[in-house]
């Protein structure tokens, strides 16, 4: 499985609209609003020999996006931690 994180900066006031549109794209497994250098971070995953490029291209075409930065994950080097289990389920 190949994966990547797409960090997204939106035009002012477009954060929620872009977040909703990104989350609807197939292969986007999570999209989250964040504070800092970016407004949204999306996690994308594809299976087998599928390419990440079409997913990233769909994200980049969304109205209201100013810029994106994509970093590809290293296959086999992703782990889920348990360090926040005591906090309970996300508050979404």
């Amino acid at each position: 499985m190949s994966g990547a994180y797409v960090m997204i900066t939106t035009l002012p006031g477009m954060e929620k609209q872009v977040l909703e549109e990104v989350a609807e794209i197939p292969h986007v497994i999570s999209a989250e609003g964040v504070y800092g250098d970016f407004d949204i971070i999306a996690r994308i995953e594809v299976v087998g020999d599928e390419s990440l490029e079409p997913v990233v291209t769909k994200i980049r075409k969304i109205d209201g996006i100013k810029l994106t930065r994509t970093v590809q994950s290293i296959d086999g080097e992703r782990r889920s931690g348990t360090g926040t289990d005591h906090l309970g389920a996300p508050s979404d």
Side-chain angles (χ1 to χ4, degrees):
M1 180 176 310
S2 294
Y5 292 93
V6 181
M7 283 75 73
I8 302 164
T9 301
T10 68
L11 296 172
M14 298 292 292
E15 299 86 356
K16 289 185 181 186
Q17 178 181 329
V18 170
L19 178 66
E20 293 299 323
E21 289 187 49
V22 168
E24 294 298 319
I25 294 175
H27 301 289
V28 172
I29 63 165
S30 68
E32 186 170 343
V34 296
Y35 293 115
D37 292 338
F38 304 99
D39 299 308
I40 299 165
I41 296 178
R43 170 77 182 160
I44 60 177
E45 289 184 356
V46 296
V47 180
D49 61 350
E50 289 183 278
S51 173
L52 293 164
E53 188 269 331
V55 184
V56 174
T57 297
K58 281 184 183 180
I59 291 172
R60 289 180 176 161
K61 289 182 178 180
I62 293 173
D63 286 337
I65 290 181
K66 181 177 178 180
L67 67 88
T68 64
R69 179 169 294 159
T70 303
V71 292
Q72 188 167 354
S73 301
I74 300 170
D75 288 343
E77 299 222 3
R78 181 175 186 221
R79 301 290 181 270
S80 294
T82 58
T84 59
D85 285 351
H86 65 283
L87 297 176
S91 61
D92 297 350

